[in-house]
Amino acid sequence: MAKTTVVLTRDDWTGDIVDPIDIAPKQITTFTFNGREYSLDLSMSSANELAAALAPWMEKASDVNVVGRRTRKIKAGSESSSETDPEERTRIREWARDNGYEIGPRGRISEAILQAFENRDRTPQNTIDTAATPEPAPEPDPQPAGDDTKPTPAERAAIRQWALEQGRDVKTRGPLSPELIRDYRQTHAA
């Protein structure tokens, strides 16, 4: 005896059984709200109703890409995106500190610093308004030879505290950069 299995899809919104030709393109509609992800099996008409109900909210919301990082919408006429990855943000912060800008170790990077960073190669050095641009920070001395020992847990805690006080970008956990260790040891060598 042969068996036939019939799969019926029920619209989670209306409760109706959905005709296979009336299933929403992805069949399961997913969305996230307040950190929780939800999914619904919807017919095309229910999916359209949900999209219409959310449309005013989605117009005001920021898009989130596949890996979950928030992105900002590009303003009309802007030639580049303001989305940056962690490495790029680190380079921007280092550049800003090296060029005399006050910038914290985390948080939002001001639009003025982002624009200055983007325009750094296009702006001739002799036309920079020195009243608006602070003096660049002095170059640190090279690392003394042979000071490549790993810091103790107590020294790591002291380095993190010192880096935060200096406005430097430092992780609360994990390994410290060799440059940060070197700078701390040079500062505290005397």
Side-chain angles (χ1 to χ4, degrees), residues 114-128:
L114 288 173
Q115 286 179 354
F117 180 78
E118 288 176 9
N119 296 326
R120 68 192 182 282
D121 296 329
R122 287 181 256 167
T123 306
Q125 293 297 320
N126 58 0
T127 62
I128 295 176

Side-chain angles (χ1 to χ4, degrees), residues 4-184:
T4 302
T5 302
V6 177
V7 176
L8 298 176
T9 302
R10 186 173 300 272
D11 186 310
D12 287 333
W13 181 244
T14 64
D16 298 335
I17 294 176
V18 180
D19 187 346
I21 61 170
D22 188 36
I23 293 176
K26 293 185 179 175
Q27 187 172 1
I28 298 174
T29 302
T30 61
F31 61 96
T32 304
F33 182 72
N34 283 345
R36 287 190 61 189
E37 189 167 336
Y38 300 89
S39 67
L40 296 167
D41 290 322
L42 298 176
S43 66
M44 286 297 290
S45 60
S46 292
N48 291 339
E49 186 179 341
L50 177 63
L54 292 176
W57 297 95
M58 292 187 318
E59 284 179 16
K60 305 286 184 186
S62 298
D63 292 332
V64 176
N65 69 10
V66 177
V67 293
R69 285 195 329 240
R70 295 182 68 80
T71 61
R72 291 186 282 178
K73 294 181 181 175
I74 300 171
K75 295 178 184 173
S78 176
E79 60 187 64
S80 67
S81 167
S82 41
E83 178 185 350
T84 56
D85 59 35
E87 292 81 20
E88 179 73 1
R89 288 191 297 272
T90 300
R91 283 192 297 275
I92 293 170
R93 288 180 194 286
E94 288 173 358
W95 175 87
R97 277 191 287 277
D98 291 346
N99 286 280
Y101 290 92
E102 288 188 26
I103 187 167
R106 64 178 69 86
R108 185 179 168 277
I109 299 174
S110 74
E111 193 65 34
I113 292 175
L114 288 173
Q115 286 179 354
F117 180 78
E118 288 176 9
N119 296 326
R120 68 192 182 282
D121 296 329
R122 287 181 256 167
T123 306
Q125 293 297 320
N126 58 0
T127 62
I128 295 176
D129 180 8
T130 55
T133 305
E135 289 292 319
E139 291 283 328
D141 293 331
Q143 178 180 2
D147 193 11
D148 58 351
T149 59
K150 282 187 168 183
T152 65
E155 187 180 24
R156 282 195 304 269
I159 291 171
R160 283 191 170 89
Q161 181 65 36
W162 171 81
L164 290 173
E165 290 169 359
Q166 299 297 314
R168 300 204 35 191
D169 197 14
V170 63
K171 296 181 269 183
T172 58
R173 297 178 62 174
L176 297 169
S177 72
E179 295 82 16
L180 187 62
I181 296 168
R182 180 198 64 217
D183 292 350
Y184 172 82

